[in-house]
Amino acid sequence: MSDVIDVADPADPRLDDFRDLNSVDRRPDLPTGKGLVIAEGVLVAQRMLASRFVPRALMGTDRRLEELRANLSGVPAPYYRVSADVMAEVVGFHLNRGVLASASRAPELSVAEVLDHARTVAVLEGVNDHENLGSIFRNAAGLGVDAVVFGTGCADPLYRRAVRVSMGHALLVPYAWARTWPADLELLRDRGFRLLAMTPAPTSRTLAEAMGDVGDAPVAILVGAEGPGLTEHTMRAADARVRIPMARGTDSLNVATAAALAFYERARFLA
Amino acid sequence: MSDVIDVADPADPRLDDFRDLNSVDRRPDLPTGKGLVIAEGVLVAQRMLASRFVPRALMGTDRRLEELRANLSGVPAPYYRVSADVMAEVVGFHLNRGVLASASRAPELSVAEVLDHARTVAVLEGVNDHENLGSIFRNAAGLGVDAVVFGTGCADPLYRRAVRVSMGHALLVPYAWARTWPADLELLRDRGFRLLAMTPAPTSRTLAEAMGDVGDAPVAILVGAEGPGLTEHTMRAADARVRIPMARGTDSLNVATAAALAFYERARFLA
């Protein structure tokens, strides 16, 4: 069980993992700085404690401590018990979730590692918005996607906002960065994955058609950023181009929503 | 064609429709104040110009004027041409979309009006987040939903943020507020709509089963706020309870994402 340590002084250096969370240049989750992973709220903290990320410390109110107590057994990281006012002063704003947890970054996984036992993976290119990235992780977890592979131009899934929007699933769904892109797509093909590239192009197969073609074979769903979409280079490396059937006069959906529809259609063939 | 009027003084009262857009108490889109509808950016302004909302004025840079010129023919509202600096001073922050349009609120439609010719409607209860509301309109437009009906507790779809996130579709997809809730659901039932209530309850029908049951009959998809979901009272007024098949260890999806999956599954039976 975490040691529970009462802290009344917001300047106490033991709280530094959580200091200035919104600061442009000092925030602790900046990859160029401390590079910590920060979980906000009981649910996300619970997921962090269940993840491969090793917790360093927690800071929260007494009430949140009670809610988390069962999850803290066997956890060596201390719980700094503070008032809401101290918390706001440390963090730099009022945080109504009442508890934060910090963890060190875990070693990066390789693409080969995350593909082990995976049957459905999401492959992202140019998804540089933390909120969209977080949503994709949440959708992946909810709809049965086994892993996420990052091509070029993606944002950091461990950034605080991404972790929060993912509801902590960015810490649980295995992910890996491609080393060479899009050449690493061959790693997926070698393992029998069918590569489906999402596009609004009306000449492409519908999601339902494409997933029906694939059946229950392993599948990789390639998604590009909202707006530009996948690069042509990456499109050409895919086995098929697939689209969401859209109503007339509309253009596209949010990238995380589009991904969710693909994940949902895929799950139909695995049920 | 809009009169193009150059304005160099940020204090010019003709720009008041766009003043202090982020102000807590003076912003022009506050329903308790001027209650204007504000469109941001070329695409959303185009959709406003194509909507039932009558434009009052536009304010933007010369570059955006050129992009909008074709849409401004026959539009009596003036285009106040300003520099980016003047624009920032009026609005109160730097707005990189380069153009804004204002419109008066159009008369509210009745539930009966929006149901005319509709075969798929979304019915929302307690969706009080402007971003989720905007996303639901975007998803509704993209996936062929004909109208939106609001029960109690929903946010204002004409709030600036909702309009922006909807990509302007909050101005195009017809919507109406129920007068008595959930009694007004009878208006839908009288028109032959099957009422499907979304819930995470594992005992309910899956989306695919429920939409298959409905076939191409008119359908209303009832969605509650993330977290609480639909009230039990509203659930009981529905014909069936439906769920998204979720992966183990996950709870729920974002409300707009959940709605998108229902809209998508519905569209399968209308193709």
Side-chain angles (χ1 to χ4, degrees):
Chain A
M1 168 75 193
S2 297
D3 281 337
V4 177
I5 302 167
D6 288 301
V7 180
D9 177 7
D12 192 313
R14 291 176 295 180
L15 307 182
D16 281 355
D17 276 10
F18 310 105
R19 200 170 298 288
D20 300 327
L21 274 191
N22 267 357
S23 157
V24 172
D25 52 358
R26 290 186 313 274
R27 48 188 298 170
D29 60 330
L30 276 188
T32 51
K34 279 180 139 183
L36 298 181
V37 185
I38 304 286
E40 296 165 76
V42 168
L43 179 66
V44 180
Q46 285 169 330
R47 290 191 172 136
M48 175 183 275
L49 294 169
S51 79
R52 66 195 178 92
F53 295 86
V54 179
R56 291 163 49 105
L58 296 96
M59 174 181 78
T61 60
D62 187 59
R63 182 167 154 205
R64 298 304 177 214
L65 172 61
E66 293 315 314
E67 292 175 37
L68 276 169
R69 202 171 271 281
N71 306 95
L72 293 173
S73 97
V75 171
Y79 189 102
Y80 297 116
R81 183 163 53 186
V82 296
S83 68
D85 286 346
V86 167
M87 195 153 176
E89 203 158 328
V90 173
V91 167
F93 55 95
H94 181 74
L95 188 111
N96 59 14
R97 286 180 180 80
V99 65
L100 293 162
S102 67
S104 304
R105 289 186 176 234
E108 296 285 345
L109 303 172
S110 69
V111 173
E113 281 172 311
V114 304
L115 295 183
D116 263 350
H117 309 295
R119 296 172 70 200
T120 308
V121 303
V123 180
L124 311 183
E125 180 183 49
V127 179
N128 59 6
D129 176 275
H130 290 105
E131 199 160 332
N132 284 335
L133 201 62
S135 295
I136 289 173
F137 271 92
R138 183 180 182 187
N139 296 343
L143 298 166
V145 171
D146 302 306
V148 175
V149 172
F150 294 121
T152 49
C154 291
D156 176 14
L158 301 182
Y159 198 76
R160 182 167 65 92
R161 186 175 180 79
V163 172
R164 180 177 70 233
V165 174
S166 81
M167 305 292 276
H169 290 296
L171 309 179
L172 290 170
V173 177
Y175 66 83
W177 294 84
R179 299 226 175 139
T180 57
W181 180 258
D184 271 6
L185 289 174
E186 290 304 317
L187 294 173
L188 283 97
R189 211 189 304 273
D190 291 347
R191 302 224 181 182
F193 280 83
R194 292 269 298 169
L195 311 184
L196 305 183
M198 302 274 289
T199 166
T203 53
S204 51
R205 305 275 283 162
T206 65
L207 268 184
E209 290 166 347
M211 293 298 175
D213 294 345
V214 171
D216 63 358
V219 74
I221 297 160
L222 279 60
V223 182
E226 206 171 320
L230 292 165
T231 61
E232 187 53 33
H233 197 50
T234 299
M235 288 272 205
R236 277 199 298 268
D239 296 306
R241 300 181 187 206
V242 302
R243 68 182 166 88
I244 297 161
M246 299 287 292
R248 264 180 307 181
T250 60
D251 26 28
S252 70
L253 295 168
N254 166 275
V255 60
T257 306
L261 296 178
F263 302 162
Y264 172 81
E265 185 66 51
R266 163 62 171 175
R268 183 186 304 272
F269 294 92
L270 290 182
Chain B
M1 167 77 192
S2 297
D3 281 336
V4 177
I5 302 166
D6 288 300
V7 180
D9 177 7
D12 192 312
R14 291 175 295 180
L15 306 182
D16 282 355
D17 276 9
F18 310 106
R19 200 170 299 287
D20 301 327
L21 274 191
N22 268 355
S23 156
V24 172
D25 52 358
R26 289 186 313 274
R27 47 188 300 172
D29 60 329
L30 276 188
T32 50
K34 281 180 139 184
L36 298 181
V37 185
I38 304 286
E40 297 166 75
V42 169
L43 180 65
V44 180
Q46 283 169 332
R47 290 192 172 136
M48 175 183 276
L49 294 170
S51 78
R52 65 194 179 94
F53 295 85
V54 179
R56 290 164 49 105
L58 296 96
M59 174 181 77
T61 60
D62 187 58
R63 183 168 153 206
R64 298 304 178 213
L65 172 61
E66 293 314 315
E67 293 174 38
L68 276 169
R69 202 171 271 280
N71 306 95
L72 294 173
S73 99
V75 171
Y79 189 102
Y80 296 116
R81 183 162 54 187
V82 296
S83 68
D85 286 346
V86 167
M87 194 154 177
E89 203 158 327
V90 173
V91 168
F93 55 94
H94 182 73
L95 188 109
N96 59 16
R97 287 181 179 78
V99 65
L100 293 162
S102 67
S104 302
R105 289 184 176 234
E108 296 284 345
L109 303 172
S110 70
V111 173
E113 280 172 312
V114 304
L115 295 183
D116 263 349
H117 309 295
R119 296 172 69 199
T120 308
V121 304
V123 180
L124 312 182
E125 180 184 49
V127 178
N128 58 6
D129 177 274
H130 290 105
E131 198 160 335
N132 284 336
L133 201 61
S135 295
I136 289 173
F137 271 92
R138 183 179 183 188
N139 297 342
L143 298 166
V145 172
D146 303 305
V148 175
V149 173
F150 294 122
T152 50
C154 291
D156 177 13
L158 301 181
Y159 199 73
R160 181 167 66 93
R161 186 176 181 78
V163 172
R164 181 177 70 233
V165 174
S166 82
M167 306 292 277
H169 290 295
L171 309 179
L172 291 171
V173 177
Y175 66 82
W177 295 83
R179 298 226 175 138
T180 58
W181 180 257
D184 271 5
L185 289 174
E186 290 306 315
L187 294 174
L188 284 97
R189 210 190 306 273
D190 290 346
R191 303 223 180 184
F193 279 83
R194 292 270 298 170
L195 311 184
L196 305 183
M198 303 274 291
T199 167
T203 53
S204 50
R205 305 275 282 163
T206 65
L207 268 184
E209 291 166 346
M211 293 298 175
D213 294 344
V214 171
D216 63 359
V219 75
I221 297 161
L222 279 60
V223 183
E226 206 171 320
L230 292 165
T231 61
E232 187 54 33
H233 196 49
T234 300
M235 288 273 206
R236 276 199 298 269
D239 295 306
R241 302 182 186 206
V242 301
R243 67 183 167 85
I244 296 161
M246 298 286 294
R248 263 181 307 183
T250 59
D251 26 29
S252 70
L253 294 168
N254 167 274
V255 59
T257 306
L261 296 178
F263 302 162
Y264 172 81
E265 185 67 52
R266 162 62 172 177
R268 182 187 304 274
F269 293 93
L270 290 183

